[in-house]
Amino acid sequence: MTDSTAPRVAIVTGASGGIGRAVAERLAADGVRVVAHYSGNADAAAEVVAAITAGEGEAIAVGGDVADEAAMAALFDAAEQRFGGVDVLVHTAGIMPLGPIAELDLETFDRIQRVNVRGTFVVDQLAARRMRSGGAIINFSTSVTRLQMPTYGAYAASKGAVEAMTLILARELRGRDITVNAVAPGPTATPLFFAGKPQEVVDRIASLNPMERLGTPEDIAEVAAFLAGPGRWVNGQVLYANGGAA
C-alpha cells in the first residue's frame, strides 16, 4: 500500500530541454522527487538537478534512448532504487524535424515516428506496469494537430498517435487509480521552436493566439503540475495549452 505521506516521485523525460526542464523544476517546487531523464545532453540534465537541489529538492539525472525498452526499464529501475517507486510520468521527450510531406525523406519520417510514437509507447507501457496507485501519466502532444500548419505533417502524425495511445491507455487502466492525459502545447518559446525560424516568422506565429505571444515553458509546466497533482478528476483528455490559438 502506498504511503500517502511520502513525497511523490516523478520521471520527467526530456528534462534537459526547455519544457522538460520547466516541468522538472515546477514539480520539485511542489515537493516531488524528480528523475530528470535526458537523451544526449548530460550537462543540461546536471544543471536541472543542480537547480532542484539548490532549492532543497531531490533529483537525479538518468540518460537513455526513450525508444529503447532496456534503457527505459533502467530509468524506472533507477527511480525505484533511489526513491522507492514512481508516481508520475511526464513524457516531454520528442523531436520535431519539419518539411513538406511531398519533400520529407522517409528516413527522417521514420526517425520522428521512432522517437515520438515508439518512445511514448515504451515509457507508457513501463508506467502502466510499474506505476503506483494514485499515479499520473502525462504525455505530450501538440496543438498542430488542430492548427494544421504546413511542414508539420510528419510531426503532427506522430502526435496524433500519441493522443490515441493516451486516450486508450486511460481506459485500459480502469480500477488502478492512475490518470492518463496529454498536454498539447501551442508554439512555445524554446530552443526547439526558435531553431531555423527568422524573426518575422516567430512574430507571425506568436500573433496567432488572442494572447498575442508565444507560450513559455513555465506556462506548460503549470498544466503538467496540475495533472500530476490536484487534477485527479481529469482523465483520458487532451488539454490544449496554447493561449486560445485553436
Side-chain angles (χ1 to χ4, degrees), residues 100-240:
I101 290 172
E103 300 172 14
L104 190 75
D105 66 88
L106 292 178
E107 182 179 348
T108 299
F109 177 86
D110 288 344
R111 185 162 56 91
I112 294 167
Q113 309 314 311
R114 181 181 185 278
V115 175
N116 295 357
V117 180
R118 179 186 167 95
T120 300
F121 194 95
V122 167
V123 297
D124 279 12
Q125 184 178 73
L126 286 162
R129 293 171 175 174
R130 300 173 65 166
M131 184 170 283
R132 294 185 288 208
S133 176
I137 297 170
I138 304 161
N139 291 323
F140 265 68
S141 181
T142 173
S143 288
V144 177
T145 55
R146 285 186 175 181
L147 298 175
Q148 294 101 37
M149 295 169 65
T151 75
Y152 283 80
Y155 176 70
S158 74
K159 294 303 187 176
V162 168
E163 291 187 10
M165 284 188 283
T166 299
L167 303 185
I168 290 170
L169 182 58
R171 286 146 182 87
E172 290 180 343
L173 294 183
R174 173 183 291 272
R176 292 276 305 279
D177 190 26
I178 294 172
T179 61
V180 190
N181 295 287
V183 178
T188 305
T190 66
L192 183 67
F193 170 79
F194 287 122
K197 293 184 177 72
Q199 188 60 46
E200 60 268 22
V201 172
V202 172
D203 293 342
R204 178 176 57 80
I205 293 174
S207 70
L208 291 176
N209 71 73
M211 308 296 283
E212 297 187 330
R213 67 172 176 86
L214 296 174
T216 67
E218 291 74 22
D219 290 327
I220 310 307
E222 287 295 334
V223 180
F226 169 72
L227 294 173
R232 298 303 302 167
W233 199 233
V234 180
N235 190 27
Q237 305 298 320
V238 179
L239 274 66
Y240 289 85

Side-chain angles (χ1 to χ4, degrees), residues 35-62:
V35 179
H37 160 270
Y38 64 93
S39 177
N41 197 334
D43 290 342
E47 290 175 6
V48 176
V49 170
I52 289 172
T53 54
E56 300 186 353
E58 294 184 71
I60 59 172
V62 180

Side-chain angles (χ1 to χ4, degrees), residues 8 10-12 15-16 19-37 44-61 82-83:
R8 285 162 72 79
I11 291 174
V12 180
S16 59
I19 290 176
R21 176 169 183 161
V23 169
E25 293 182 359
R26 178 64 181 81
L27 293 178
D30 284 344
V32 178
R33 293 166 169 168
V34 174
V35 179
H37 160 270
E47 290 175 6
V48 176
V49 170
I52 289 172
T53 54
E56 300 186 353
E58 294 184 71
I60 59 172
R82 178 64 180 270
F83 297 129

Side-chain angles (χ1 to χ4, degrees), residues 73-85:
L75 174 67
F76 276 75
D77 289 345
E80 292 171 357
Q81 290 163 8
R82 178 64 180 270
F83 297 129

